[in-house]
Amino acid sequence: MMGMVTQLTKACVNKSEFQVVRLLRSGEDALTSRGTLVQVPLPFLSMRKPLLLLVAIVLLIGGLFAIKESQRPPPPQFAPSLTGDTAPSASPAPTRGNDPLPPFLPPEARQTIALIQRGGPYPHRQDGSVFGNREQRLPERPRGYYREFTVETPGAPNRGARRIVTGGNPPTGWFYTDDHYETFRSFDVPPAGSWQ
């Protein structure tokens, strides 16, 4: 040990005492460049405050858990007709003549529904693609259950925000969104050809 300390001392004459001691890193007494004897502890072998370390670990784990919980999305709000809740409506929705579709659907949605029931062709290549339901705004189903279709928005330079999402093949669940999947309204569609 003494030979190694002498070599290090000669090699590091111009370095500070701290640097020489740092180079040695042993649990024994070490000779510094000034010729003084110092004790060099191994960093993690002698824990003086294990309770402090334990508290720090618990706080770290608790903080990570709190962050994860705060980033969890809110519980999904399902479309009323699929939850089984049968809340009485305040008043029946007014119908437009002989139209069985709900009045909240724009005229362009009727065209999209007719295309869906015919099986296409669709004006946009994304129409008929799988809707992932990542935000869980619709009832949870296996991947591939939901399909999305564009409802044209007059004057929009792109597809716009209006969509119809269907569930099942052939579709048994119908949902309309006019705010790009933020909210959905469910509705029923009569069999093809009976309402057009």
Side-chain angles (χ1 to χ4, degrees):
M1 169 89 180
M2 202 55 155
M4 186 174 85
V5 171
T6 307
Q7 284 180 339
L8 277 172
T9 304
K10 286 179 185 176
C12 302
V13 170
N14 293 332
K15 295 199 181 255
S16 71
E17 181 176 323
F18 174 73
Q19 289 171 320
V20 173
V21 170
R22 214 168 123 214
L23 287 172
L24 292 175
R25 289 277 192 226
S26 72
E28 302 175 11
D29 291 340
L31 187 63
T32 66
S33 61
R34 294 186 182 163
T36 58
L37 208 57
V38 293
Q39 178 71 26
V40 182
L42 290 175
F44 293 104
L45 290 182
S46 59
M47 292 298 257
R48 293 186 183 177
K49 302 195 180 187
L51 183 60
L52 182 63
L53 178 64
L54 184 61
V55 168
I57 290 173
V58 168
L59 287 175
L60 177 67
I61 291 172
L64 291 174
F65 180 75
I67 290 171
K68 181 181 176 188
E69 287 298 311
S70 69
Q71 293 176 345
R72 176 180 281 178
Q77 296 177 348
F78 298 129
S81 69
L82 296 179
T83 59
D85 298 336
T86 54
S89 59
S91 63
T95 58
R96 289 180 281 178
N98 202 12
D99 189 0
L101 296 176
F104 63 80
L105 290 175
E108 295 83 11
R110 287 158 173 72
Q111 296 167 357
T112 303
I113 293 169
L115 284 175
I116 294 168
Q117 288 184 326
R118 279 198 316 254
Y122 305 110
H124 300 278
R125 65 179 176 82
Q126 299 93 333
D127 288 344
S129 63
V130 172
F131 174 70
N133 195 25
R134 285 186 285 276
E135 291 82 14
Q136 297 179 341
R137 303 238 196 287
L138 297 177
E140 191 172 333
R141 297 286 190 266
R143 178 156 174 78
Y145 178 79
Y146 293 114
R147 302 282 173 170
E148 68 172 281
F149 301 89
T150 305
V151 175
E152 294 293 333
T153 304
N158 53 23
R159 291 174 61 204
R162 304 190 304 181
R163 302 283 187 277
I164 288 180
V165 175
T166 63
N169 190 12
T172 55
W174 296 79
F175 307 92
Y176 174 73
T177 177
D178 58 4
D179 54 10
H180 203 262
Y181 316 116
E182 287 297 316
T183 59
F184 287 94
R185 295 178 79 176
S186 66
F187 62 98
D188 293 320
V189 174
S194 66
W195 61 275
Q196 298 153 335

